[in-house]
Amino acid sequence: MTDDILITGMGVVTPIGGDVETFWSANLEGRSGIVREERMDTTGLPCGWTAGLIPEDVKEKVAADHGKPGRSWGDTLMHAAVEQALTDARLDAQPAAEGPAGLVYARVWPGPTGSDPQDYITHMEELAERYDTIGNDPEAVLRNLRRRNLPLETRDLSAYPREIAERLGTAVLPVRLEATCSGGLRAIAEAARLLRSGRARYAVVSAAVSRNTPYVLSQYGQLMALSRWKGDPAQASMPFDVRRTGMVINESAGALVLETAEHAARRGMTQPHALVGGWGLAVDTTHMTAPRVEMIERVMRTALAEAGADLDEVDTVNAHGTSTRLNDVTEARALHKVFGERMADLPVSAVKSLTGHGSAASGVVETVASALTMCRGVVPPVPTCTEPDPACAVRTSLTPEERPVAAVLKNSFGFGGQYASMLLRRPAAPRPAPRHG
């Protein structure tokens, strides 16, 4: 159908791989990127001594290829993921199609995109200097801004869309989302909406986060949301396991290229990764951090209805699966309400078991995993769920499960009462696996 929305390019930078194929191999092998947090002193915190960290060799390459003076680490990660996605979509070696292009990106407040420790320090120092020097007087603020460079948070907000427009060689319609942990999936939905409205023929979606700082760890520590597991760090994130004690935060980035089917066909892109079926979005004001079964159920049912899909069409669920006591059981109960008896045989995967939680980036990164699940016909394992929680009663596996997958339901939820769910379908001619050797 000409109004179908296709995913034609994908890119990731994660704790388990700096490119899509390495990331996917790690998922199938159960190779964790969660390690002991040794970059800062966490002894005074009740939890948070593990983190999902991008390997040093990957970070060095990303910094060398995409870093530049004044560019935050979060933006650097997004540029690296976007370049992969453009190359994958074959938009790197040919002139960009007629513009404008959509650009939807998810960031995490406060401060610059990635909230890397150095980004935070610079951000806070500049804020403190301004208040100490000029206070809130409007004329004094104006005089101060006239004789200095723009502050980091302002440069960070404005530079990224301009740089992507220059990279694409066309004007962009930029949309910045702030939707916490559901931001990545919401960004995909917003990009699809742009394409269906006819305002753009293709769109770039990206999200990045790097929030491993004493400030962020203390925030989550106060909420008692972080893992308090004291054993092997690789086991610290264990979605749907009876022993789970909380989530592990990570640094990561993901990017996608979305196109209308008509636009993709016109430029010869006939083997996409996935088709965006439908989505459900909601914001609940009942509680800032505690998810509700009813809201998760609502967005999943909406996603299915918007996609025109029956329950039997869903072959697997790529869960939000944060490894917190409340989130996992709440998501599981909602799944049981939607799928009923089918839950006994419905495979559930949870990428955060290996990567940790990348906030807004998780929705994009896990959509990549969902697309590969369909293209490759393999449901990834949840290798840390060795003692499944009977209160969740979801079917996870310790090993990859080969099976035909025509549709995946992807969930993402976040603080502030943010909920998102999306149905992804396998295209008629999916992208084949690359040949090695």
Side-chain angles (χ1 to χ4, degrees):
M1 297 176 61
T2 57
D3 62 346
D4 281 346
I5 305 301
L6 309 178
I7 297 175
T8 59
M10 306 192 300
V12 298
V13 184
T14 77
I16 60 173
D19 59 81
V20 169
E21 288 304 320
T22 305
F23 164 76
W24 181 242
S25 296
N27 268 281
L28 299 187
E29 295 166 10
R31 187 169 67 249
S32 178
I34 298 174
V35 297
R36 184 181 297 273
E37 174 58 88
E38 296 179 333
R39 301 175 304 166
M40 65 190 83
D41 183 6
T42 61
T43 53
L45 297 175
C47 48
W49 64 281
T50 59
L53 300 182
I54 298 169
E56 285 302 316
D57 60 332
V58 175
K59 293 179 74 169
E60 290 173 5
K61 187 176 189 311
V62 167
D65 292 346
H66 302 283
K68 59 183 291 189
R71 178 179 287 173
S72 71
W73 178 236
D75 271 15
T76 301
L77 288 173
M78 282 206 293
H79 277 283
V82 166
E83 196 62 35
Q84 290 180 37
L86 293 175
T87 300
D88 185 40
R90 299 205 299 269
L91 283 170
D92 62 322
Q94 65 182 68
E98 70 276 8
L103 171 63
V104 187
Y105 56 107
R107 283 181 158 148
V108 179
W109 183 92
T113 301
S115 299
D116 181 78
Q118 187 55 49
D119 294 341
Y120 256 114
I121 292 168
T122 305
H123 173 69
M124 295 304 179
E125 285 178 346
E126 290 185 348
L127 284 178
E129 179 189 348
R130 270 182 282 162
Y131 278 108
D132 288 343
T133 305
I134 60 177
N136 284 317
D137 180 69
E139 292 185 6
V141 170
L142 180 60
R143 288 194 299 271
N144 178 271
L145 291 175
R146 281 174 173 167
R147 63 173 181 263
R148 62 177 293 170
N149 292 327
L150 288 173
L152 178 60
E153 70 272 19
T154 305
R155 296 200 306 271
D156 200 46
L157 290 174
S158 60
Y160 183 68
R162 173 180 55 79
E163 290 169 343
I164 295 298
E166 291 174 351
R167 172 65 184 83
L168 297 176
T170 187
V172 298
L173 300 171
V175 179
R176 179 196 174 195
L177 288 178
E178 183 57 71
T180 62
C181 307
S182 70
L185 209 58
R186 283 176 172 267
I188 299 169
E190 184 61 30
R193 202 188 329 260
L194 273 175
L195 299 184
R196 284 184 175 168
S197 73
R199 297 177 63 198
R201 297 289 187 268
Y202 70 105
V204 174
V205 174
S206 64
V209 67
S210 181
R211 299 189 297 163
N212 301 69
T213 71
Y215 176 67
V216 173
L217 287 176
S218 63
Q219 285 182 316
Y220 282 115
Q222 182 179 6
L223 294 170
M224 298 305 291
L226 295 180
S227 175
R228 296 179 297 282
W229 175 255
K230 297 301 182 184
D232 178 5
Q235 186 69 27
S237 178
M238 50 183 85
F240 306 112
D241 192 288
V242 71
R243 301 163 300 155
R244 68 189 184 280
T245 58
M247 67 181 178
V248 176
I249 60 176
N250 79 12
E251 54 179 351
S252 57
L256 302 170
V257 173
L258 272 63
E259 302 182 63
T260 63
E262 180 270 336
H263 183 270
R266 181 153 28 100
R267 67 182 193 88
M269 175 55 71
T270 59
Q271 292 182 309
H273 293 289
L275 186 153
V276 177
W279 57 85
L281 308 175
V283 178
D284 181 19
T285 59
T286 304
H287 198 283
M288 288 294 290
T289 59
R292 284 203 299 148
V293 172
E294 297 82 2
M295 298 304 293
I296 298 176
E297 179 186 3
R298 175 187 296 184
V299 293
M300 288 193 292
R301 290 193 185 279
T302 301
L304 293 169
E306 292 294 323
D310 296 327
L311 292 177
D312 290 343
E313 293 183 50
V314 178
D315 295 306
T316 182
V317 174
N318 187 296
H320 186 50
T322 61
S323 185
T324 61
R325 298 298 303 178
L326 180 60
N327 184 90
D328 286 6
V329 74
T330 305
E331 183 175 12
R333 287 171 180 167
L335 286 168
H336 281 278
K337 278 182 168 290
V338 172
F339 290 99
E341 295 180 354
R342 279 210 64 209
M343 287 299 296
D345 298 312
L346 186 65
V348 174
S349 61
V351 176
K352 294 180 185 70
S353 61
L354 300 175
T355 63
H357 194 344
S359 189
S362 291
V364 180
V365 169
E366 292 162 11
T367 295
V368 170
S370 299
L372 292 169
T373 294
M374 293 185 292
C375 288
R376 311 290 174 85
V378 183
V379 178
V382 185
T384 59
C385 186
T386 57
E387 298 180 27
D389 186 353
C392 296
V394 299
R395 189 169 83 76
T396 61
S397 174
L398 296 177
T399 58
E401 184 176 350
E402 295 189 10
R403 58 184 293 161
V405 178
V408 177
L409 188 66
K410 171 76 203 97
N411 288 334
S412 290
F413 319 120
F415 287 173
Q418 303 276 351
Y419 299 84
S421 186
M422 180 172 288
L423 186 83
L424 301 164
R425 284 194 168 106
R426 185 178 187 268
R431 188 79 58 90
R435 294 181 180 179
H436 299 287

